[in-house]
């Protein structure tokens, strides 16, 4: 490591403000509720990790996931795949979020958040069912001054996962 | 427009504080949970719009609503009608709200809010069912220094609406 | 009352800050979600009251409760009983909380909070059901500088209560 690097590392790194964090978490949910999948990758940093797993795997520290995207490019590909392979009966979602429990992140400039969710799925004919429950475990940082997910773990309570589920949660 | 009017319009208009907005949204839900329907009109400004519609109609910009009240007087009439025509099996509600996403309103002094909800209905015998999900789209202003809804759109996710539903949501 | 006591009573008593209150409420829910029952008594003051009742009893002012613990010692006993008498099919919970409506408590230094909840139960095989809905009515104070429940009333919406329910809510 050069002296130069040390100097850069020593600069204080600004963490996103409380309100920016809670707004990010809400906006993400509302975008998905609105079916605006194209907005989804934009909530993440360029090199972010998006990982959907079950509570069981997560508690055992297993790296196995149901969906794993590394980087915004991979997320954009996933959105494209969704648009071309939409075999679903039309439906949409209601993401109900609990309050975010916010604390310091793993590195300087990062905020950690834990937030429960319950997602209700509404079919075209009006049927509603509880689609998924779980928690979001997030690391949130500023990228060009905007709060983004550097990491979002979606930990599902149930191992019964709809195998056709390709939609971001 | 007279010079006088212009001067009045030029005065800064105070917007409700963040906490007053979130308290209003919570108090509204708790009043309905408590069955205190008489309190319901008091959460709105004198000339407020209360509009219940479906997601489908709302997305298409259709002005068709399931319930539409313009002004507090009309809301008071609705509460009276409810008291005289209560043909329901006894029940009550649990309004679970997501975090409010707050931003600037359409006019000076107004705050806009979007907030998801899930309402569970509990019948006298203890049965619980998911009654409605959707979002509140609000414009909130100060009326005599108190935060009130100038506009509350209740956008239901499902088109399956209980036709007997006259209770405020 | 001696002059001495008067002097002590006259000292300003610090109330927990808003963020400490909302963090306490979230941490309590997350600990139960995580199955960390041993942490449960630690969220209360030494002499706290934990009272689970139904909406019906609560509205009528009946002191009858489903579960009533007075003091942390009694809570610790309850946790022990749970560990030794665990006859349940394995399962866990997702506590979804609404926003806390916070105001002044009954005494100086106390904060009152009302917060809706919906608890989903997830069985080992993945089945999910809406286990309970209701509201938390809390009195929160500082104990050695840490926010704790001095009183937590869990008011269940439904009178249909699982008689095997010994788990804290």
């Amino acid at each position: 490591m050069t002296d130069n690097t040390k100097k850069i590392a020593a600069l204080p790194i600004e963490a996103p403000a409380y309100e920016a964090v809670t707004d990010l978490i809400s906006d993400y949910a509302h975008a998905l509720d609105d079916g605006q999948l194209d907005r989804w990758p934009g909530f993440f940093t360029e090199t972010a990790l998006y990982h959907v797993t079950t509570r069981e795997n997560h508690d055992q520290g297993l790296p196995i996931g149901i969906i794993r995207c590394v980087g915004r490019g991979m997320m954009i590909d996933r959105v494209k795949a969704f648009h071309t392979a939409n075999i679903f009966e039309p439906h949409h979602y209601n993401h109900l979020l609990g309050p975010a429990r916010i604390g310091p992140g793993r590195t300087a400039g990062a905020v950690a958040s834990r937030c429960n969710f319950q997602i209700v799925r509404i079919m075209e004919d009006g049927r509603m069912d509880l689609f998924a429950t779980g928690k979001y475990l997030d690391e949130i940082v500023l990228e060009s001054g905007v709060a983004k997910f550097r990491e979002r773990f979606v930990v599902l309570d149930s191992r019964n996962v709809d195998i056709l589920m390709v939609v971001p949660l």
Side-chain angles (χ1 to χ4, degrees), chain A:
Chain A
M1 197 187 284
T2 68
D3 279 349
N4 226 14
T5 320
K6 274 182 196 157
K7 269 178 204 159
I8 290 167
L11 284 175
I13 302 168
E14 198 195 348
Y18 183 88
E19 198 185 333
V21 167
T22 56
D23 283 356
L24 171 66
I25 292 171
S26 288
D27 289 345
Y28 178 102
H30 293 159
L32 295 183
D33 284 350
D34 291 345
Q36 298 175 340
L37 287 189
D38 293 333
R39 290 179 60 199
W40 177 65
F43 293 111
F44 294 87
T45 63
E46 187 57 40
T47 57
L49 170 63
Y50 170 78
H51 187 84
V52 181
T53 188
T54 61
R55 177 191 165 93
E56 225 173 355
N57 285 340
H58 187 72
D59 286 355
Q60 293 170 34
L62 296 176
I64 307 161
I66 298 160
I67 295 169
R68 191 178 177 92
C69 288
V70 184
R72 216 186 270 151
M74 200 166 157
M75 297 177 200
I76 292 168
D77 286 348
R78 173 162 282 274
V79 170
K80 277 184 200 150
F82 181 82
H83 283 310
T84 55
N86 192 338
I87 54 167
F88 292 115
E89 184 186 342
H91 64 270
H92 52 268
Y93 299 95
N94 183 293
H95 287 70
L96 202 70
L97 305 176
R101 178 60 169 92
I102 289 171
R106 285 195 303 268
T107 58
V111 167
S113 165
R114 173 177 177 169
C115 170
N116 276 356
F117 63 82
Q118 295 182 5
I119 306 176
V120 170
R121 180 169 55 180
I122 301 100
M123 306 311 287
E124 181 121 293
D125 66 5
R127 270 174 300 139
M128 298 183 288
D129 63 284
L130 183 56
F131 176 64
T133 70
K135 62 188 165 194
Y136 292 118
L137 300 179
D138 303 320
E139 289 273 322
I140 296 162
V141 295
L142 290 175
E143 188 186 61
S144 309
V146 179
K148 307 247 169 156
F149 297 109
R150 181 175 68 184
E151 187 178 286
R152 167 154 270 204
F153 270 72
V154 185
V155 183
L156 296 169
D157 285 320
S158 172
R159 67 165 86 160
N160 284 2
V161 178
D162 186 335
I163 55 157
L164 292 176
M165 183 187 66
V166 295
V167 64
L169 290 175

